[in-house]
Amino acid sequence: MTPRQVADYMFGQDYFSQWMNIKMIEVKENYCLIEMPIRKEMINGLKTVHGGVTFAFADSALAFSSNNTGDAAVALNCIINFTKAGKEGDVFKAESTLVNDTRKTAVYDIRITNQNNELVAKFVGTVYKIGKKVTEL
């Protein structure tokens, strides 16, 4: 399977990413660019995007980029820094890029931007390679 086919296979079973209305823009080996519209249900009591939504969006980018070779990997550690508040009606993009790869782990940088290309959050995710194929799970 190509990286895009693996990501599409995963997305077909990922009901949470579907609920977030994520669209895959570009998928290459160990890389993805995804997009998500910010809806009313994603807004917190301060009228900004809930941090958990932004984190979950970055986590989906991590999953689609770190598993798209067909070898399954799961999040081991994730860190996020919020740099700009999002609002209802925004469109977020997450770009996930591999920065370090070892036999059992890999590290990805994920940049989340809005429709004006302003940095909304910076996420670093470390994954653990579990030794199984995505299609075996």
Side-chain angles (χ1 to χ4, degrees):
M1 295 173 78
T2 67
R4 179 61 186 239
Q5 289 170 326
V6 175
D8 287 342
Y9 172 83
M10 290 177 62
F11 186 77
Q13 304 177 103
D14 185 344
Y15 301 109
F16 188 72
S17 289
Q18 291 174 33
W19 174 83
M20 289 193 297
N21 202 24
I22 288 174
K23 303 285 183 248
M24 279 192 240
I25 307 302
E26 184 178 3
V27 179
K28 299 184 286 192
E29 188 171 316
N30 296 307
Y31 170 90
C32 78
L33 176 65
I34 60 175
E35 185 177 271
M36 174 184 73
I38 300 302
R39 303 187 318 261
K40 179 181 178 181
E41 299 85 3
M42 299 172 169
I43 302 302
N44 65 23
L46 299 177
K47 298 181 185 172
T48 62
V49 176
H50 192 288
V53 169
T54 305
F55 188 98
F57 181 52
D59 187 49
S60 288
L62 177 65
F64 296 133
S65 59
S66 66
N67 285 280
N68 71 28
T69 62
D71 296 317
V74 295
L76 186 61
N77 184 52
C78 300
I79 300 168
I80 193 166
N81 287 293
F82 302 100
T83 56
K84 183 172 181 61
K87 303 279 188 192
E88 183 180 353
D90 281 351
V91 177
F92 282 5
K93 285 187 178 177
E95 183 176 37
S96 179
T97 307
L98 176 68
V99 294
N100 188 53
D101 194 18
T102 70
R103 186 175 56 81
K104 292 302 286 180
T105 65
V107 178
Y108 289 79
D109 275 344
I110 293 105
R111 288 177 44 87
I112 299 175
T113 55
N114 64 17
Q115 66 279 1
N116 300 317
N117 205 33
E118 298 167 316
L119 186 66
V120 172
K122 178 74 168 41
F123 180 102
V124 177
T126 302
V127 296
Y128 177 75
K129 300 171 189 178
I130 63 172
K132 294 184 179 181
K133 295 292 183 187
V134 169
T135 54
E136 294 174 347
L137 303 175

